[in-house]
Amino acid sequence: RSFYRPIVSMTTIMEQQNKSYWAAIETQIDTHLKKSMPIRPPTSVFVPLHHLTFSASKSTAPPLCIAACELVGGFADDAVTAASAIHLMHAAAFTHQHLQLSDGPMHEGSTVEHMFKPNIELLTPDGMVPFGFELLGLSEQAQKNSDRILRVIIEISRAVGSQGVVDGMYQEILHGKLKGVDDEEMMMYVCEKKEGELHACAGACGAILGGGSEEEIEKLRKYGFYVGMIQGMLNGIGKNKQERFEIVKKLKDLALKELELFQGKNVDQISTLLEM
Amino acid sequence: RSFYRPIVSMTTIMEQQNKSYWAAIETQIDTHLKKSMPIRPPTSVFVPLHHLTFSASKSTAPPLCIAACELVGGFADDAVTAASAIHLMHAAAFTHQHLQLSDGPMHEGSTVEHMFKPNIELLTPDGMVPFGFELLGLSEQAQKNSDRILRVIIEISRAVGSQGVVDGMYQEILHGKLKGVDDEEMMMYVCEKKEGELHACAGACGAILGGGSEEEIEKLRKYGFYVGMIQGMLNGIGKNKQERFEIVKKLKDLALKELELFQGKNVDQISTLLEM
């Protein structure tokens, strides 16, 4: 009994430390966003902007961006603007996915509460996306390392655009119409686009901003991709399918392999994202 | 009779030259966009992207961007990506403004033909906006003059975001609800946001990319602002109001004043935008 106890409590302490690591990152991103977009006149614009930014589901991509930056030896501050921009893009996509269109909400069975009218929920995300790019352009990093920021702008615009998240949402609608069709292959594709590539982008951007080598950037891009795939498969449509757990297990192994290059306590921290 | 004829035909030649100047710029932007986004698989994504990009109303802001670049001594090629990005932002806003929401189209009395379902018309512009930023990040100028491109990214994101075009569309809805209210002051504000600031941004971006001085950039920002205001007042809601023609006349004088700093044939060319 005394043999197990220390181990158990060690695990608990580690778990708590890791939890507080992610919680601290989340707080940092929230604080940065709140500072960047204070509620000010016209409140008819900024109240919905604030609400829709913070009420959207949380994605693990923004915190991954900061963790990746730290893993390659950068400071969290170097990646917090990119993480905030990624959250804005995610929140914009989330809001549009639940928008009430004349042919019904895009997301079947959506239970999101609508605080605002459709036209506000249409336009507010239209403001959030350029705002994310503006934040990047105005960031401290843009002064110090304009090449890195330009690279991050390209990474993010690709990941969220018509060949990234938008494509995933798009295929999800097309697929969603064919109810009963059990097209697991298409759902994998949707996960790739909606979650995989966004997390891949987050990992790569964090590594770029932290001054990582090209090898480190590509490792963290792949790590992010696997993390995103796991998130998508366990939380997206068809999430309870038994066969997915096998795939998830394989994805975890692949993800851990990408971290072998790195050393230090940050490896343990970033790898706990696989258990979320 | 022989006295007048040459003058008349001179005017005609000049008019034709100016017309062909703008037509050539329009063609250059269209060609650049078509080259940047060829129709390719998945066609379910790229066909609507293509259609909505080229079927949107034409704004004078993108050609102004190129003319401003040339006026400060730059090459049209230096500004064609920014002009294309501005068109993409404009086309995205145009499409969302005519989107069929569950509480009706945002734009009262919209007569736009809908080739695609609402969900496609929602998502396609969501891809167009980041695509515009991606084009800027990947442009030749981003390699040669990354600081100028970053500045342009900030300019465009501000002009189209929640304090620019989106704010204008937003106030237009709020105002549109109060039918019969003749709030010309609010309509001026809408023109400022939807047209004025977008054209101001186009003028400034052209000057930045052409290597203009800070003074030239600010002159062309103001010139663009007046051009946009005129466009908004003559083409937007309440366009036939008599009192507007007086204001437009004053705006033209103010606009021409901003061009006094500049010399050469390009001054005549850019000033014909005031007659469109």
Side-chain angles (χ1 to χ4, degrees):
Chain A
R1 201 172 175 179
S2 62
F3 176 76
Y4 287 105
R5 206 179 287 158
I7 296 174
V8 171
S9 63
M10 269 300 281
T11 310
T12 315
I13 287 169
M14 268 184 61
E15 267 176 15
Q16 279 177 346
Q17 280 175 341
N18 287 328
K19 261 188 204 161
S20 65
Y21 175 70
W22 294 111
I25 288 182
E26 293 261 4
T27 305
Q28 194 187 0
I29 298 169
D30 272 18
T31 307
H32 188 78
L33 277 167
K34 278 178 189 148
K35 215 182 78 189
S36 310
M37 42 190 263
I39 295 182
R40 61 182 186 277
T43 49
S44 60
V45 171
F46 284 101
V47 167
L49 183 62
H50 220 256
H51 177 82
L52 294 170
T53 300
F54 295 108
S55 69
S57 75
K58 294 267 183 194
S59 161
T60 40
L64 170 61
C65 179
I66 290 185
C69 177
E70 292 193 311
L71 188 61
V72 301
F75 294 104
D77 276 354
D78 294 334
V80 71
T81 307
S84 301
I86 292 169
H87 176 72
L88 284 166
M89 307 297 167
H90 163 78
F94 179 88
T95 307
H96 276 180
Q97 181 152 32
H98 295 88
L99 188 65
Q100 293 169 297
L101 295 164
S102 65
D103 58 350
M106 221 169 70
H107 197 64
E108 300 255 341
S110 160
T111 55
V112 163
E113 226 183 301
H114 295 279
M115 284 273 290
F116 304 100
K117 288 192 146 200
N119 47 30
I120 306 301
E121 294 194 357
L122 166 67
L123 286 181
T124 305
D126 283 0
M128 283 154 83
V129 171
F131 182 60
F133 288 109
E134 186 186 346
L135 284 183
L136 288 167
L138 290 171
S139 65
E140 214 180 299
Q141 284 271 44
Q143 302 291 325
K144 290 191 302 184
N145 290 303
S146 62
D147 289 352
R148 285 185 194 167
I149 283 289
L150 270 172
R151 205 170 154 185
V152 163
I153 287 172
I154 298 168
E155 290 279 351
I156 294 178
S157 53
R158 273 193 188 149
V160 303
S162 55
Q163 294 183 74
V165 172
V166 167
D167 186 25
M169 289 164 77
Y170 202 101
Q171 301 302 334
E172 201 177 24
I173 308 170
L174 296 183
H175 172 79
K177 279 184 202 151
L178 312 163
K179 272 182 218 166
V181 172
D182 196 19
D183 190 346
E184 194 66 6
E185 202 179 307
M186 177 51 79
M187 291 323 295
M188 285 288 276
Y189 180 80
V190 169
C191 285
E192 264 177 54
K193 292 291 167 183
K194 281 181 65 180
E195 300 287 350
E197 292 182 13
L198 187 70
H199 284 74
C201 158
C205 287
I208 290 166
L209 293 166
S213 68
E214 289 307 313
E215 192 186 5
E216 289 175 322
I217 293 167
E218 292 316 310
K219 291 268 176 199
L220 283 165
R221 184 193 303 284
K222 283 187 194 151
Y223 177 72
F225 180 76
Y226 297 130
V227 169
M229 286 301 290
I230 294 169
Q231 291 287 328
M233 295 185 74
L234 296 183
N235 300 312
I237 293 179
K239 59 186 170 185
N240 293 320
K241 286 190 180 150
Q242 206 53 41
E243 67 255 45
R244 290 207 180 168
F245 297 110
E246 271 308 299
I247 303 175
V248 165
K249 214 166 145 267
K250 279 182 198 150
L251 289 170
K252 279 185 189 176
D253 290 341
L254 288 167
L256 287 171
K257 242 181 134 57
E258 299 297 332
L259 297 180
E260 282 173 3
L261 176 75
F262 302 96
Q263 280 167 347
K265 76 174 165 67
N266 287 337
V267 178
D268 294 335
Q269 285 172 334
I270 202 170
S271 68
T272 58
L273 217 46
L274 296 169
E275 307 304 330
M276 280 182 179
Chain B
R1 198 170 175 181
S2 62
F3 177 74
Y4 287 104
R5 206 179 287 159
I7 295 173
V8 172
S9 65
M10 268 303 280
T11 312
T12 316
I13 288 170
M14 266 184 62
E15 267 177 17
Q16 279 177 346
Q17 279 175 341
N18 286 328
K19 262 189 204 160
S20 64
Y21 175 70
W22 294 112
I25 288 182
E26 293 261 5
T27 306
Q28 194 186 1
I29 298 169
D30 272 17
T31 308
H32 188 78
L33 276 167
K34 277 178 188 145
K35 216 182 78 189
S36 309
M37 42 190 262
I39 295 183
R40 60 181 187 277
T43 50
S44 60
V45 171
F46 284 101
V47 168
L49 183 63
H50 220 258
H51 177 83
L52 294 171
T53 299
F54 295 108
S55 69
S57 75
K58 294 266 184 197
S59 162
T60 40
L64 169 62
C65 179
I66 289 185
C69 177
E70 293 192 312
L71 188 61
V72 301
F75 295 105
D77 276 353
D78 294 334
V80 70
T81 308
S84 302
I86 292 169
H87 176 73
L88 284 166
M89 307 297 166
H90 163 78
F94 179 88
T95 307
H96 275 181
Q97 181 152 29
H98 296 88
L99 188 64
Q100 293 170 296
L101 295 165
S102 64
D103 57 350
M106 222 168 69
H107 197 64
E108 300 255 340
S110 159
T111 55
V112 163
E113 225 182 303
H114 295 279
M115 284 273 290
F116 304 101
K117 289 192 148 202
N119 47 30
I120 306 302
E121 295 196 355
L122 166 66
L123 285 181
T124 305
D126 284 0
M128 283 154 83
V129 171
F131 182 59
F133 288 109
E134 186 185 346
L135 284 183
L136 288 167
L138 290 171
S139 66
E140 213 181 298
Q141 283 272 44
Q143 302 290 326
K144 289 191 300 184
N145 290 304
S146 62
D147 289 353
R148 285 184 194 167
I149 283 289
L150 270 172
R151 207 170 153 185
V152 163
I153 287 172
I154 297 168
E155 290 278 352
I156 295 178
S157 53
R158 274 194 187 146
V160 302
S162 54
Q163 294 183 74
V165 172
V166 167
D167 187 23
M169 290 165 76
Y170 202 100
Q171 301 301 335
E172 201 176 24
I173 309 168
L174 297 183
H175 173 79
K177 278 182 203 153
L178 312 163
K179 272 181 217 166
V181 172
D182 196 19
D183 191 345
E184 194 67 6
E185 202 180 306
M186 176 51 81
M187 291 324 294
M188 285 286 277
Y189 181 81
V190 169
C191 284
E192 265 177 54
K193 292 291 167 182
K194 281 181 66 180
E195 300 288 352
E197 292 183 12
L198 188 69
H199 283 75
C201 157
C205 287
I208 291 166
L209 293 166
S213 67
E214 289 307 313
E215 192 187 3
E216 289 175 322
I217 294 166
E218 292 316 310
K219 292 267 178 201
L220 284 165
R221 183 194 301 286
K222 283 187 194 150
Y223 178 73
F225 181 75
Y226 297 130
V227 169
M229 285 302 290
I230 294 169
Q231 290 287 326
M233 293 185 75
L234 296 183
N235 301 312
I237 293 178
K239 58 187 172 187
N240 293 322
K241 286 191 182 151
Q242 205 53 42
E243 68 255 43
R244 288 206 180 170
F245 296 111
E246 272 307 299
I247 302 175
V248 164
K249 214 167 146 266
K250 279 182 199 151
L251 289 170
K252 278 185 187 173
D253 291 341
L254 288 168
L256 287 171
K257 243 182 133 54
E258 299 297 334
L259 296 180
E260 282 173 3
L261 176 75
F262 302 97
Q263 281 166 345
K265 76 173 164 68
N266 287 337
V267 177
D268 294 334
Q269 286 172 336
I270 202 169
S271 67
T272 58
L273 216 46
L274 295 169
E275 308 304 330
M276 280 184 179

